[in-house]
Amino acid sequence: QCFFILMTHTVQMRFYILIYAFIMTFLYACSDEAHQLLVSGRAGQLSDVLIDTCGGMTADLLYYIYFKRRT
């Protein structure tokens, strides 16, 4: 969620920026889980990717609603 906010906070709010931030959050979650496959004692799981992505989407929607109310 923090990753999403950092990506959108400094850029003027546009819908395509939200989509870009969402995609980047998904890709980061995938890379994090792929990295965990290489660490002994850890396991990369699809469910963790989905949880991280849902968290990013929730932050996406909340930030969008907040920004729309401000303007």
Side-chain angles (χ1 to χ4, degrees), residues 3-65:
F3 182 69
F4 169 81
I5 291 171
L6 287 173
M7 291 198 58
T8 58
H9 187 66
T10 59
V11 182
Q12 183 180 8
M13 181 61 74
R14 302 243 190 262
F15 188 71
Y16 69 90
I17 296 297
L18 296 175
I19 293 171
Y20 175 74
F22 176 76
I23 291 169
M24 292 303 295
T25 302
F26 172 75
L27 292 175
Y28 183 80
C30 289
S31 70
D32 183 43
E33 294 304 313
H35 173 261
Q36 286 186 24
L37 290 173
L38 303 174
V39 176
S40 142
R42 302 288 305 262
Q45 305 216 350
L46 180 61
S47 62
D48 287 344
V49 172
L50 296 175
I51 290 169
D52 292 343
T53 303
C54 286
M57 187 169 51
T58 301
D60 188 352
L61 293 172
L62 292 174
Y63 195 77
Y64 184 75
I65 291 168

